Amino acid sequence: MEADWDEVARTAFPPPGLHALHTPVTALAFDNNQELLWTGNEYGRVRSFYGPELHKYTSFRAHPAAEGPVRQLLMHEKGVLSIASKGLHMSTRRGLPIWHITHENMKDLRCMSYMAKGNTEILVAGLQSTMFTVDIEKGVITKEIPAEEGYTMMRRSRYICAATNSGTVHILDSTTLKLVKTWRTHAAGINDMDAQNNFLVTCGYSPRQQQGFMLDPLANAFDLKSLMPLPPIPFHAGAAYVRMHPRMVTTGIVASQTGQLQVVDLMNPNTVNLRQAVVSSYLTNLELAPSGEALALADADCFIQLWGSPSKIRFAEMVSPTEFSAVRSVRTSIEWSSHSQLNAVGMPYYREQLLSAWPSHLVFEIGAPPVKIDPDILASMAPTDFGGYAPNPRKVLRNQAINTRETHKSTGPVMAPKFLSEKARERADAQQPDRRASDVLEALSAMGVGDGLKAEVPVMYRNVEIKYSKFGVDDFDFEFYNRTKFSGLETHIVNSYANPLLQLYRFTPLLRNLALQHTSTSCLSESCLLCELGFLFDMLESASGQNCQATNFLKTFGNLPQAAALGLLEDGPRNTSLSAVIQLMNRFLMERMSSDYKQILPQSPVFDKTTATTGLTSIRCIHCHSETGRPGDTYVTDLVYPSKQPLKGHLRAPQRTFSQVLVGSVERQDQTRGWCGRCRRYQSLATKKTIQSLPDVLLLNAAVHRAEASEFWATPGWLPTEIGLVAEGGMFSCYEGQELQSRLQRTSGVMTVYELVGVVAEIDSGERQASHLVSLINVSLSAREPQTESQWHLFNDFLVKKVQKEEALRFVPSWKLPSILAYQVKRGSNAIDDSWKDNLDTSLLYRDLSINHRPAHPEHRPLYPDSEAPKVGTHVAIDAEFVALQQEEVEIKADGTRETIRPSRLGLARVSVLRGSGVDEGVPFIDDYIATTTEPIVDHLTAFSGIQPGDLDPAMSPHNLVSLKVAYKKLWLLLHLGCVFVGHGLPKDFRIINIHVPKTQVVDTVELFFIKARQRKLSLRFLAWFLLKEDIQTETHDSIEDARTALRLYRKYQEFQDAGVFDRMLNDIYAKGREVNYKAPGVQARRPLSQSQMGHGHGHLRTDLSTGGDAGRDTPPILR
């Protein structure tokens, strides 16, 4: 609380009627996305106030008066949640209801809190024996949980802190909701508490002899990290309310009922900073804004006070534009006569839900369509006098009720994309028409506006979702969504919201070159994001339109503690919009990659010269006029939009161009309070930045946080595709359009011209759809040859589509706004540098690295660089083993069918690579076990992988362990040296390893010994038994044994081809396979799986993907 903090506004909660009295505030909350203060009263009404002046914004009845007062308000990206004693309500910020939940066990609700994973699920509790978890997106109760005790309030930080009515606080695990710790904080009860930044502070009552209950003269503090109490905070006026500062970790504000405010430091409770609010009665509520720059007080006289610094008060940290009602248009009078045309009278057309629409909890579906008669019954029906009869085909259970509404909705002229296994079965049907690439748009449009989508959002911008069959994600038809030569990225991975930003980086040639050049060096750091970005770029380029996934990059990113601290992880708490998160991630990645680059070349200025704007920030004291300079580099610039101030005569100033806004943002001038060394005190300081040099890649955060800012982007053509920048003599200028062309004709060598590479935009598809990000990129700038015209493409995760330039640069404030812009110097267009391929540091292939210093496999022998250096055409045998890091999430429907919600996630556990020729053919030169320390292993899949518990633990493993980065880079080096990989069932292995190997460099024995007409693929064990007369995989799998067997099968294939008998031998193999059911007879049975493994879905083997045979190697369902 700074020295100039004071009361800036005061207003009364409006009365419920024209002649009614004002009502006290029962709930108070600041919006974390907009400049709004939300309040609730005892009649269930919710009101909001806009800005520091507390202008009235919205008012609506969230709960019936019978449910009692509004107990708590909670902010969400899509709206505001309120809770009363018997119901939970969610509305948009404009007041439109989204859903309302009531339940027979909701008797006395008091509080709610977000759960562990983001803002998609909340926990609801009260003075009752049952708690509820609620899915916010769907508006349904997902689980009922017995409560340890009745709860009056809840706050979430590291844990969920729940206060009881007996003065204790329960510390609950935010994922499992199990009780972790209990503290007796106050003798009689808890009046208020707050938890932030690993600290918990409580205020409460204690009994006093002959005086009833009185507020304790101290606030109790606790450390949630160590789960230990801290020294209490003395507050002699009686601590009634407390709020922790959102940005200052150990600072909080404690208030008494009489209005005394004290700023306290938990680490130094004796420091005192007091304020006194003018209160004629007593305080009833207190709330601190998410920005930490505003404080709201409510008293028993029904007044709301707003405190803060008058010069810079704001509510939210990252402000989104607030939507206001449109100005009513002036009606034009029409002279009507018998000759007037009827089309002169306009007809209403609505794109959004009307205010008169009924709320969701009052809308019910009735009159379900009748069940359709099965075609088999109609075909076999025998007619009689009274109708007809036919045998029962028994396709449904007895007395099973069929949801005909869903069946009726799903039928239509266009079906959703079919699984690859379905397509394989239908290839023989000549009457089955081929689907067009545009069918995806029609399939998506079938979602309709009734599902909460906005009608004006084009179909190609809407959320796309991967569907899973029993064969997993490999069975999904990604080609249906992408017929271009540019690869999309899959979405079933944690933190995949970053996909559009990664695509934007990939199509910026100078960034692409830097990443790949660094990747080809000797860098082996496990946390190097620049290396992972290079691996990803290389995979996207070589895939040429096939879908890819950023698994390794996002895994490395997710393991960074700095990313978690900034709130950039998807499974962590998030109180800001998706656009604000991706902009923060943009800045974090650029600074992190600069640090990664300097780890190998600490003296090289190449990365900073390419990406950083160098400037000098001048800091001048307003009081003594002393001035200091601070040099610094800026990797990302936030755009700052000027306020639209009316001129004299109520005229509006002309709108500023993009160039003018960019100049004001780069040379930003600001005034803040800071320490002046000459004055020896805090003073007002004026700061100004002077640009010294410009980067080759200019990254801009759009920073559209206010409605005024979105108006700039609503102007057609406001964003230029070319700009000219001049930074000379301490002056910075920007030009666009005709002014740019005229300047280029008059000057030479001074101006730097930039081209727009692309935009990351946030798409708001509707109230019931989570907002998501897309990128719109001019891919012609990253082509290897100059293009005659621009080629703009939409990258909506794995949906990739060519669009017109006008469509790409069109922004609509209601659903499409930019988040990140990327400009690159014009001379950098088409500057694709592949010289890194000739400068690969291959020393890693010739040495053994180990984390735990254990001996390698007895057969293992490293390559000799002089005689065994890999080259183009060198054959190597490979096999990999995997462990399960996350089980699949399955939903069991009412009819007993299973639907996969999220597939299982596997991790590389062991990889073996063997020499494929020479005197040492079959001898391994790579046999790496991968250390798994950052995430738990849920299933070792020992029967199918040979990995035992403890094999991947550096403290216990008897094997030679390496990091995933080291194992991956070895394979990546072999790939770019031109090696040909020989193995059995390799596509699945390469997909999980997250590497793309061209078909010309793969010899897969599954495909060599395969007759398509037989529609059955043969297992490695069966082929080894029949062709090599060997029994393998008798107990578990061994990657060296499997790779060597695949290599020997390849040699057999070459022998058969040379002798001209391969076709006859292949028919003999299938003939023998039919006799023994394609199983190797006489082989010792594999030991059965444990009950825990069977519980995870690995208790049986699954048949092959498309035809019903044994797919390649004997692998569990999770691996296939």
Side-chain angles (χ1 to χ4, degrees):
M1 186 177 290
E2 298 181 5
D4 59 345
W5 269 49
D6 202 351
E7 181 182 328
V8 296
R10 179 188 289 248
T11 186
F13 193 97
L18 182 62
H19 301 291
L21 299 175
H22 293 281
T23 57
V25 174
T26 59
L28 196 63
F30 281 99
D31 203 309
N32 51 24
N33 284 324
Q34 299 185 14
E35 291 291 284
L36 296 174
L37 173 63
W38 292 88
T39 59
N41 74 348
E42 58 188 3
Y43 296 103
R45 179 167 292 276
V46 174
R47 285 183 179 271
S48 62
F49 302 89
Y50 176 76
E53 296 82 11
L54 296 183
H55 295 303
K56 297 176 183 177
Y57 181 63
T58 50
S59 176
F60 55 90
R61 175 68 66 81
H63 304 271
E67 291 188 4
V70 178
R71 300 287 189 181
Q72 185 183 347
L73 296 165
L74 201 59
M75 299 302 115
H76 187 263
E77 182 182 1
K78 293 297 182 182
V80 56
L81 295 96
S82 61
I83 188 172
S85 60
K86 298 182 180 179
L88 183 66
H89 185 84
M90 183 175 183
S91 297
T92 66
R93 287 172 171 80
R94 294 174 296 150
L96 300 178
I98 298 178
W99 46 257
H100 187 94
I101 299 176
T102 58
H103 192 273
E104 59 182 3
N105 290 333
M106 291 183 177
K107 300 175 182 178
D108 191 4
L109 299 181
R110 294 296 183 96
C111 51
M112 54 185 168
S113 171
Y114 283 114
M115 300 280 284
K117 295 184 178 180
N119 293 350
T120 61
E121 199 171 27
I122 60 173
L123 176 67
V124 182
L127 295 178
Q128 55 184 45
S129 59
T130 305
M131 299 189 296
F132 304 89
T133 59
V134 177
D135 188 314
I136 299 179
E137 298 291 342
K138 299 178 182 179
V140 296
I141 296 174
T142 58
K143 192 183 298 183
E144 294 186 44
I145 306 168
E148 296 282 344
E149 197 172 338
Y151 297 131
T152 57
M153 65 184 70
M154 288 192 297
R155 300 287 186 268
R156 190 188 76 168
S157 178
R158 175 181 289 263
Y159 301 96
I160 296 179
C161 305
T164 69
N165 60 350
S166 60
T168 60
V169 174
H170 287 183
I171 307 301
L172 307 177
D173 185 277
S174 57
T175 303
T176 63
L177 300 181
K178 293 182 178 179
L179 184 61
V180 178
K181 184 77 173 179
T182 300
W183 279 312
R184 179 72 172 181
T185 59
H186 300 276
I190 298 175
N191 189 65
D192 194 19
M193 71 175 186
D194 196 21
Q196 283 210 47
N197 303 318
N198 296 324
F199 293 106
L200 169 68
V201 183
T202 64
C203 301
Y205 295 92
S206 293
R208 295 292 188 271
Q209 197 170 20
Q210 298 179 352
Q211 295 183 358
F213 297 104
M214 293 185 64
L215 289 168
D216 289 334
L218 49 84
N220 292 323
F222 303 90
D223 187 341
L224 295 176
K225 190 172 184 179
S226 62
L227 294 178
M228 295 293 292
L230 297 175
I233 304 167
F235 193 76
H236 301 292
Y241 302 98
V242 62
R243 285 295 177 269
M244 295 297 295
H245 199 284
R247 292 184 298 176
M248 303 171 69
V249 178
T250 62
T251 302
I253 298 179
V254 183
S256 68
Q257 286 188 328
T258 59
Q260 181 176 322
L261 307 174
Q262 178 175 330
V263 181
V264 298
D265 187 344
L266 299 184
M267 299 295 102
N268 189 9
N270 296 323
T271 58
V272 178
N273 185 357
L274 294 176
R275 293 286 192 282
Q276 180 65 48
V278 179
V279 180
S280 58
S281 55
Y282 59 90
L283 291 183
T284 60
N285 221 318
L286 177 143
E287 192 64 46
L288 186 62
S291 66
E293 297 179 1
L295 181 71
L297 309 173
D299 59 29
D301 292 333
C302 311
F303 282 102
I304 303 169
Q305 299 182 32
L306 184 65
W307 280 61
S309 175
S311 60
K312 57 179 182 181
I313 185 172
R314 59 192 178 100
F315 299 166
E317 186 70 25
M318 304 291 289
V319 183
S320 300
T322 303
E323 184 177 356
F324 292 93
S325 58
V327 179
R328 181 177 299 178
S329 59
V330 180
R331 296 181 179 179
T332 57
S333 59
I334 301 176
E335 296 182 1
W336 192 260
S337 66
S338 58
H339 301 287
S340 300
Q341 297 180 354
L342 292 177
N343 60 7
V345 181
M347 297 297 291
Y349 179 73
Y350 306 104
R351 289 181 176 270
E352 296 182 353
Q353 190 178 31
L354 301 179
L355 289 171
S356 58
W358 286 60
S360 59
H361 67 285
L362 295 179
V363 178
F364 305 93
E365 290 187 352
I366 60 173
V371 178
K372 291 186 177 182
I373 301 177
D374 191 288
D376 293 341
I377 296 178
L378 296 176
S380 59
M381 181 172 290
T384 61
D385 296 339
F386 57 84
Y389 64 91
N392 185 0
R394 301 187 183 279
K395 293 184 178 180
V396 297
L397 301 176
R398 185 181 181 90
N399 298 325
Q400 178 181 338
I402 299 176
N403 188 353
T404 57
R405 291 190 182 93
E406 293 297 327
T407 306
H408 180 71
K409 289 179 181 179
S410 62
T411 57
V414 179
M415 299 179 65
K418 293 184 178 180
F419 292 114
L420 297 178
S421 56
E422 292 179 307
K423 292 174 63 178
R425 287 192 294 267
E426 295 174 354
R427 285 193 184 117
D429 188 358
Q431 297 180 351
Q432 182 71 19
D434 292 335
R435 290 171 293 157
R436 298 170 287 109
S438 60
D439 285 352
V440 61
L441 302 182
E442 300 178 31
L444 286 175
S445 64
M447 290 188 295
V449 184
D451 293 335
L453 300 173
K454 293 183 178 178
E456 70 265 30
V457 180
V459 177
M460 61 184 175
Y461 285 101
R462 295 178 183 172
N463 301 61
V464 290
E465 184 180 359
I466 299 176
K467 297 295 184 181
Y468 307 102
S469 72
K470 62 181 180 179
F471 303 112
V473 69
D474 290 333
D475 202 19
F476 188 73
D477 188 4
F478 288 100
E479 187 180 353
F480 185 71
Y481 293 86
N482 181 12
R483 297 295 175 91
T484 71
K485 62 180 180 180
F486 306 108
S487 299
L489 290 171
E490 298 175 16
T491 58
H492 65 282
I493 309 164
V494 178
N495 301 317
S496 60
Y497 75 91
N499 286 348
L501 180 59
L502 300 179
Q503 292 280 17
L504 183 61
Y505 288 167
R506 173 256 187 274
F507 286 102
T508 306
L510 298 182
L511 275 181
R512 174 259 183 203
N513 294 342
L514 285 173
L516 286 169
Q517 288 166 6
H518 177 80
T519 304
S520 64
T521 65
S522 59
C523 178
L524 296 178
S525 173
E526 295 182 55
S527 60
C528 180
L529 290 181
L530 193 56
C531 276
E532 296 298 340
L533 207 61
F535 293 141
L536 178 61
F537 291 169
D538 179 56
M539 180 172 57
L540 287 170
E541 288 184 6
S542 60
S544 300
Q546 298 181 34
N547 61 291
C548 298
Q549 49 186 346
T551 307
N552 290 351
F553 175 87
L554 295 177
K555 181 179 181 179
T556 304
F557 170 74
N559 291 334
L560 295 177
Q562 299 91 332
L566 292 173
L568 300 179
L569 304 187
E570 219 169 34
D571 54 357
R574 181 182 297 168
N575 297 320
T576 57
S577 66
L578 192 58
S579 182
V581 174
I582 197 66
Q583 292 174 35
L584 186 59
M585 183 183 189
N586 183 30
R587 188 183 307 278
F588 171 76
L589 289 181
M590 295 307 299
E591 294 175 354
R592 181 77 187 192
M593 288 188 293
S594 174
S595 175
D596 292 340
Y597 189 86
K598 294 174 183 177
Q599 286 186 359
I600 301 298
L601 300 171
Q603 304 300 325
S604 176
V606 174
F607 192 93
D608 287 351
K609 184 179 179 181
T610 304
T611 60
T613 302
T614 303
L616 179 67
T617 302
S618 300
I619 306 173
R620 183 172 59 88
C621 177
I622 301 298
H623 184 261
C624 68
H625 303 290
S626 63
E627 186 170 335
T628 58
R630 182 191 305 162
D633 293 339
T634 303
Y635 297 96
V636 179
T637 300
D638 290 347
L639 294 182
V640 180
Y641 304 90
S643 300
K644 293 187 176 181
Q645 300 293 340
L647 301 177
K648 293 183 179 180
H650 301 285
L651 298 176
R652 185 176 290 273
Q655 186 181 36
R656 297 198 181 188
T657 64
F658 176 83
S659 298
Q660 293 171 329
V661 172
L662 180 59
V663 171
S665 304
V666 174
E667 287 190 324
R668 186 171 181 176
Q669 300 185 28
D670 202 358
Q671 185 170 331
T672 59
R673 290 186 62 84
W675 180 261
C676 176
R678 177 179 293 182
C679 299
R680 307 297 298 174
R681 59 182 299 181
Y682 284 95
Q683 298 282 15
S684 295
L685 305 178
T687 60
K688 179 182 179 181
K689 188 172 184 178
T690 303
I691 303 303
Q692 296 175 329
S693 65
L694 295 170
D696 293 336
V697 177
L698 183 65
L699 291 174
L700 306 174
N701 283 343
V704 183
H705 304 315
R706 296 182 292 113
E708 292 180 351
S710 62
E711 293 179 10
F712 288 93
W713 295 98
T715 305
W718 189 73
L719 177 64
T721 55
E722 280 192 7
I723 56 174
L725 300 183
V726 178
E728 189 177 28
M731 299 297 294
F732 177 73
S733 305
C734 181
Y735 305 96
E736 63 178 86
Q738 295 181 354
E739 187 179 9
L740 171 62
Q741 300 304 322
S742 62
R743 290 272 179 174
L744 287 174
Q745 294 174 1
R746 297 198 304 266
T747 60
S748 60
V750 178
M751 182 180 297
T752 305
V753 180
Y754 290 78
E755 286 184 298
L756 180 65
V757 178
V759 181
V760 175
E762 183 177 15
I763 306 299
D764 184 4
S765 300
E767 294 169 357
R768 289 181 179 265
Q769 298 288 322
S771 60
H772 65 288
L773 299 168
V774 302
S775 53
L776 297 130
I777 302 173
N778 182 8
V779 299
S780 64
L781 303 183
S782 58
R784 296 184 180 272
E785 299 295 335
Q787 306 294 308
T788 56
E789 58 182 15
S790 61
Q791 299 176 10
W792 287 86
H793 281 66
L794 167 69
F795 291 84
N796 185 3
D797 290 321
F798 53 83
L799 188 156
V800 183
K801 188 179 188 304
K802 187 175 182 179
V803 296
Q804 296 296 322
K805 171 185 172 182
E806 293 74 20
E807 171 60 31
L809 303 182
R810 179 177 70 96
F811 300 99
V812 184
S814 61
W815 63 270
K816 178 187 177 185
L817 281 173
S819 298
I820 298 172
L821 313 174
Y823 281 92
Q824 181 183 256
V825 290
K826 200 167 185 178
R827 66 175 183 275
S829 299
N830 312 113
I832 303 300
D833 182 9
D834 285 337
S835 61
W836 58 271
K837 294 183 179 180
D838 301 324
N839 301 303
L840 291 172
D841 187 324
T842 60
S843 60
L844 180 63
L845 295 174
Y846 309 110
R847 55 194 177 115
D848 287 335
L849 298 178
S850 177
I851 293 177
N852 56 346
H853 306 290
R854 295 290 191 275
H857 192 278
E859 298 183 47
H860 173 266
R861 188 164 68 249
L863 292 174
Y864 296 108
D866 297 333
S867 59
E868 295 182 304
K871 56 187 178 180
V872 176
T874 299
H875 283 72
V876 295
I878 184 174
D879 189 71
E881 308 295 351
F882 308 94
V883 292
L885 302 177
Q886 177 181 307
Q887 298 293 356
E888 65 178 2
E889 299 178 18
V890 178
E891 178 179 327
I892 308 298
K893 295 186 176 180
D895 58 358
T897 59
R898 296 161 55 95
E899 180 180 0
T900 302
I901 305 302
R902 183 185 289 269
S904 58
R905 184 163 58 87
L906 304 179
L908 181 63
R910 183 188 181 189
V911 59
S912 300
V913 184
L914 285 61
R915 294 167 175 84
S917 59
V919 295
D920 290 332
E921 178 177 324
V923 176
F925 63 92
I926 295 176
D927 183 41
D928 291 337
Y929 286 77
I930 285 70
T932 304
T933 58
T934 57
E935 50 189 333
I937 299 174
V938 299
D939 196 338
H940 288 82
L941 306 173
T942 304
F944 304 99
S945 66
I947 304 298
Q948 300 285 346
D951 280 355
L952 307 183
D953 186 349
M956 301 172 56
S957 177
H959 306 289
N960 179 46
L961 293 180
V962 300
S963 66
L964 177 63
K965 168 79 171 287
V966 169
Y968 184 93
K969 193 163 187 176
K970 289 180 182 179
L971 301 181
W972 187 77
L973 290 171
L974 292 174
L975 168 66
H976 285 284
L977 289 173
C979 293
V980 177
F981 294 91
V982 181
H984 196 83
L986 291 181
K988 181 70 177 182
D989 291 357
F990 289 148
R991 174 183 173 82
I992 301 175
I993 295 172
N994 200 211
I995 191 172
H996 179 82
V997 181
K999 293 182 178 179
T1000 56
Q1001 290 181 246
V1002 176
V1003 175
D1004 195 341
T1005 51
V1006 167
E1007 302 297 333
L1008 294 182
F1009 297 94
F1010 173 53
I1011 301 177
K1012 292 185 178 180
R1014 301 294 180 90
Q1015 298 186 348
R1016 176 180 286 275
K1017 294 182 178 180
L1018 306 176
S1019 71
L1020 182 68
R1021 184 168 56 166
F1022 173 75
L1023 289 173
W1025 169 79
F1026 184 81
L1027 293 175
L1028 305 179
K1029 310 305 179 184
E1030 292 184 359
D1031 294 337
I1032 65 170
Q1033 302 172 354
T1034 56
E1035 289 294 330
T1036 61
H1037 284 241
D1038 182 270
S1039 55
I1040 293 180
E1041 180 187 49
D1042 291 352
R1044 184 180 290 125
T1045 302
L1047 180 62
R1048 294 181 61 191
L1049 288 174
Y1050 174 53
R1051 296 305 181 201
K1052 279 290 183 183
Y1053 166 80
Q1054 290 178 318
E1055 291 177 13
F1056 295 151
Q1057 287 285 9
D1058 294 340
V1061 297
F1062 176 73
D1063 292 338
R1064 179 166 57 85
M1065 288 298 301
L1066 190 57
N1067 288 324
D1068 292 345
I1069 294 173
Y1070 272 88
K1072 187 63 176 180
R1074 284 194 300 271
E1075 294 179 10
V1076 298
N1077 196 24
Y1078 298 95
K1079 301 293 183 182
V1083 177
Q1084 181 181 349
R1086 181 182 305 157
R1087 62 183 176 82
L1089 298 179
S1090 65
Q1091 290 297 321
S1092 62
Q1093 288 173 317
M1094 295 187 67
H1096 292 147
H1098 311 313
H1100 63 279
L1101 294 177
R1102 181 174 292 165
T1103 55
D1104 116 280
L1105 177 69
S1106 58
T1107 59
D1110 188 1
R1113 296 183 300 169
D1114 289 337
T1115 52
I1118 194 170
L1119 295 180
R1120 298 255 300 285

